[in-house]
Amino acid sequence: MRVNYKKELEEAARNMILVHKPHTLIRMILRTIVRKVKIEHAGTLLYEKTRNSYIVTITRGQVGAKLPAGFIRLDPDAPIIRFFRHKEAYLSFFEDGALILSRVNYLLQKKELFHNDPETEKLLIAIKFQMKSFDAVVSVPCYFQNDLLGVLMLGEKVSKKCFKDEEIDFFIALANDVAMALRNAFLFEDLQLEIERNKRLFFETTMALAAAIDAKDHYTRGHTSRVTEYSLAIAKLIAADANGRSDDKFFEELHIASMLHDIGKIGVPESILNKNGPLTEEERKKINEHSLIGATILGPIKNLDGVILGIKHHHERHDGRGYPEGLGGEAIPYVARIISVADSFDAMTTDRPYRKAFTRDYAIVELERCSGSQFHPQIVKAAVTLYKRGELK
Amino acid sequence: MRVNYKKELEEAARNMILVHKPHTLIRMILRTIVRKVKIEHAGTLLYEKTRNSYIVTITRGQVGAKLPAGFIRLDPDAPIIRFFRHKEAYLSFFEDGALILSRVNYLLQKKELFHNDPETEKLLIAIKFQMKSFDAVVSVPCYFQNDLLGVLMLGEKVSKKCFKDEEIDFFIALANDVAMALRNAFLFEDLQLEIERNKRLFFETTMALAAAIDAKDHYTRGHTSRVTEYSLAIAKLIAADANGRSDDKFFEELHIASMLHDIGKIGVPESILNKNGPLTEEERKKINEHSLIGATILGPIKNLDGVILGIKHHHERHDGRGYPEGLGGEAIPYVARIISVADSFDAMTTDRPYRKAFTRDYAIVELERCSGSQFHPQIVKAAVTLYKRGELK
């Protein structure tokens, strides 16, 4: 055995605990094994909970790929998996915990062993063929507690020598570390999936509620989802032009604020929202309260400050003549500036109680005309660019 | 050095990667060190990101607590922390990475070392006093990359012998494993905090929107939050009576469904919701649509099936004479059965357009009278129990 390869492998396994993607982790450990132990190739069967099956991962060794390329799945009934999942039943054959091809062959020659146990003989024959199909001479299970999280499949040594007992023992110990790191990575993956699931639930529920409130106003059906789409597209373009890095927090705030920019309409009487004819001064005032009402509804929620400001100020104007506070220029929160342009574009291109929709071409000309007065020029410029690229659908 | 204590400690450190609470992890490793190395006590300074300070964690050794009890914080400016955070500046004094009290004392006697460097002398004096105040003879830093995640503070050996160089080296190596496990635990904590933050945001936003919709109906202000509170209290009592284990998924579904049970009212004209006087058959029908409308609004959302069923059926009756589907008995989803009782209790105990609120005593008698006809008896029983305990406020 080469000096220190154990130490190096142990250290590699230990460093793996900070790799939280099971596939990356497995590729790393396989590469290290192939290089340090000088074997032809190595692979794994890695458990995937969502499909209750084992996915085949391979690594190319020093003499090229020997294991089948691509992703193959083995279900829990596959011979090798069955063997390791029910190891108690076969301990008399493999007291050391690993499957060694030469030992399988040796046992199968002794027919008398299986007189009373043809099932085990059948299983061993199937295992033999499965190991050969992977070109593996040793299979080492990775258990966490009693769960089989994976199996290391090792090819021949480059030197063609057999693995020694102590080497097999070492791999079994190493597989323990791998199992621990895998378990850790799986737990991490679970948490990350939960985060994604929760986020999706949040966005979908908020959107559904916002759309329902939208629907109260007969003339703005679908408005919320279109404004959200436009806002995000505009922000993406500006971020790409600026530095290419995306500020997740900003995008999330913009996303939420866009979805909820009109929720204050819940506080405006239906009779005004759906009035068929010109609004009185009084009614107009009432409608204009919606941005402030929206901010008030969300007011008590922690960590939503950026969103609330975006909603509150989405009717401010660049020249300071908007509402509710008459903020102007750079004093208007960035989220609000974007929503303002997206909102106006959608308002112009949909039917209103008192007029038909304008064409998109006309709406873009209007945005440009009001750039610097109603709208922030940078946002208008981005909207126009998107439109010209056909991305403001 | 005792046989195998290194191996045992290394293995303990390795097993720690599945401990995802930094404090638990630290307590485990300290206990192991105290027991295996036979030292009087051990402690740590553990970094807390949220407060940018190091919290003192102690463990009782074989001769009782030597480190100060309770939680003490050290800010990044504390002598020991400063030393390890700027280790490059002091490498000439401590090339081996750990602080050893005897060496600090030895250096401080050599006045000439500090002629041009009175700052370092001052720092070492401060370190000496800080180590003494912790009754520590060795301090070992745990770095992840260049971040100081913690410091192990080791007391004297029970045998009163000095630590040997190789023992110090071993602790430095061990501290690396500890740092890795700590880093892993911190990352885990971050993800868990994010999950909690997202959940809170979801519940708070949903509640704010539901309450805003609530407010459209002048007579049901605060209804949503009270029904949510009652529903959860009832479910908790039933779960405690049954087996004591709480089914998180069920509680989450009940929580969301309770908050959103009336959102379908957004689809009912305000003129009907706020009508001052008895409703016509037609108007009553329109109002009764709200449970179905609510289910429809949320319909497209993935993973919300349980919630949607709870909303859809919260006006079914145990005897099958409710709406929208006339389901009865056990066919009514459990979430809906609970909301039904909570909803009715709140409706009875608040003012309505056509009557004043009933007393809570009266409402409870009514629930009991309708147990088995309108309501599921098990839910009524739980509500009555809560009321008698004064927990249905």
Side-chain angles (χ1 to χ4, degrees), chain A residues 90-104:
Chain A
Y90 311 108
L91 278 187
S92 54
F93 293 104
F94 293 89
E95 61 292 313
D96 49 9
L99 272 172
I100 303 160
L101 186 60
S102 59
R103 185 163 161 82
V104 173

Side-chain angles (χ1 to χ4, degrees), chain B residues 84-107:
Chain B
F84 286 129
R85 277 199 163 192
H86 304 282
K87 59 177 193 280
E88 328 69 43
Y90 310 109
L91 278 187
S92 52
F93 293 104
F94 293 89
E95 60 294 310
D96 50 10
L99 273 172
I100 303 160
L101 186 60
S102 57
R103 186 164 160 81
V104 173
N105 286 330
Y106 169 81
L107 287 170

Side-chain angles (χ1 to χ4, degrees), chain A residues 63-164:
Chain A
V63 293
K66 277 295 177 67
L67 291 173
F71 288 151
I72 300 167
R73 294 183 172 280
L74 297 185
D75 69 28
D77 224 38
I80 290 177
I81 305 297
R82 193 140 45 101
F83 179 86
F84 285 129
R85 280 199 161 190
H86 304 281
K87 58 175 192 276
E88 327 72 43
Y90 311 108
L91 278 187
S92 54
F93 293 104
F94 293 89
E95 61 292 313
D96 49 9
L99 272 172
I100 303 160
L101 186 60
S102 59
R103 185 163 161 82
V104 173
N105 285 330
Y106 169 80
L107 287 170
L108 284 174
Q109 279 160 13
K110 299 191 157 189
K111 285 276 171 202
E112 69 279 11
L113 280 175
F114 305 103
H115 268 166
N116 297 316
D117 193 1
E119 281 305 313
T120 299
E121 186 180 21
K122 258 172 71 184
L123 179 64
L124 286 184
I125 293 171
I127 285 173
K128 172 179 156 178
F129 282 107
Q130 199 162 42
M131 288 182 75
K132 281 192 171 169
S133 77
F134 285 107
D135 220 351
V137 298
V138 180
S139 301
V140 190
C142 305
Y143 293 107
F144 176 73
Q145 289 163 358
N146 278 321
D147 297 335
L148 182 68
L149 300 185
V151 181
L152 301 179
M153 306 285 277
L154 308 178
E156 268 190 302
K157 288 188 187 177
V158 174
S159 65
K160 305 289 176 196
K161 286 182 185 159
C162 290
F163 284 101
K164 292 177 207 146

Side-chain angles (χ1 to χ4, degrees), chain A residues 88-371:
Chain A
E88 327 72 43
Y90 311 108
L91 278 187
S92 54
F93 293 104
F94 293 89
E95 61 292 313
D96 49 9
L99 272 172
I100 303 160
L101 186 60
S102 59
R103 185 163 161 82
V104 173
N105 285 330
Y106 169 80
L107 287 170
L108 284 174
Q109 279 160 13
K110 299 191 157 189
K111 285 276 171 202
E112 69 279 11
L113 280 175
F114 305 103
H115 268 166
N116 297 316
D117 193 1
E119 281 305 313
T120 299
E121 186 180 21
K122 258 172 71 184
L123 179 64
L124 286 184
I125 293 171
I127 285 173
K128 172 179 156 178
F129 282 107
Q130 199 162 42
M131 288 182 75
K132 281 192 171 169
S133 77
F134 285 107
D135 220 351
V137 298
V138 180
S139 301
V140 190
C142 305
Y143 293 107
F144 176 73
Q145 289 163 358
N146 278 321
D147 297 335
L148 182 68
L149 300 185
V151 181
L152 301 179
M153 306 285 277
L154 308 178
E156 268 190 302
K157 288 188 187 177
V158 174
S159 65
K160 305 289 176 196
K161 286 182 185 159
C162 290
F163 284 101
K164 292 177 207 146
D165 283 356
E166 59 162 311
E167 288 175 315
I168 301 289
D169 287 347
F170 170 72
F171 283 118
I172 291 170
L174 183 73
N176 253 320
D177 286 351
V178 173
M180 200 103 73
L182 271 179
R183 165 77 180 167
N184 186 56
F186 282 136
L187 288 175
F188 242 87
E189 251 193 358
D190 284 351
L191 286 187
Q192 259 148 348
L193 283 176
E194 194 178 339
I195 288 177
E196 276 169 42
R197 219 173 19 241
N198 287 343
K199 280 210 170 151
R200 209 171 40 232
L201 182 64
F202 171 76
F203 281 108
E204 289 180 351
T205 305
T206 304
M207 195 56 173
L209 296 179
I213 292 172
D214 228 23
K216 288 303 273 185
D217 184 342
H218 294 171
Y219 298 98
T220 59
R221 214 168 287 250
H223 173 71
T224 296
S225 65
R226 288 189 303 269
V227 169
T228 304
E229 198 186 303
Y230 300 159
S231 290
L232 292 174
I234 290 170
K236 233 174 252 167
L237 183 74
I238 295 173
D241 280 355
N243 57 22
R245 277 182 302 131
S246 79
D247 174 344
D248 290 348
K249 188 168 182 296
F250 173 77
F251 273 93
E252 200 166 299
E253 284 183 354
L254 178 64
H255 193 162
I256 302 173
S258 299
M259 289 193 298
L260 297 178
H261 74 282
D262 270 349
I263 49 148
K265 287 200 175 163
I266 190 85
V268 179
E270 284 167 18
S271 53
I272 300 180
L273 284 179
N274 292 316
K275 187 173 173 190
N276 235 325
L279 296 173
T280 66
E281 177 68 10
E282 198 57 32
E283 289 166 338
R284 166 62 49 202
K285 244 183 170 166
K286 198 78 204 160
I287 284 199
N288 288 358
E289 279 175 14
H290 79 278
S291 48
L292 208 53
I293 296 174
T296 310
I297 288 173
L298 300 175
I301 303 178
K302 242 167 105 177
N303 301 321
L304 225 50
D305 306 7
V307 169
I308 292 171
L309 286 177
I311 293 170
K312 183 173 176 187
H313 297 294
H314 79 278
H315 281 292
E316 304 287 2
R317 292 170 51 108
H318 191 67
D319 58 16
R321 293 169 51 227
Y323 61 86
E325 289 185 1
L327 298 185
E330 311 298 316
I332 302 170
Y334 208 85
V335 166
R337 286 183 232 169
I338 295 177
I339 295 176
S340 166
V341 170
D343 190 22
S344 300
F345 183 75
D346 187 63
M348 287 192 276
T349 53
T350 47
D351 293 338
R352 296 276 120 170
Y354 41 90
R355 61 152 172 78
K356 278 276 167 200
F358 298 127
T359 65
R360 304 170 93 68
D361 281 342
Y362 177 84
I364 285 291
V365 171
E366 270 298 292
L367 286 185
E368 282 183 310
R369 194 179 62 80
C370 302
S371 173

Side-chain angles (χ1 to χ4, degrees), chain B residues 39 97 173 189 252 363:
Chain B
I39 60 177
E189 253 193 356
E252 199 166 299

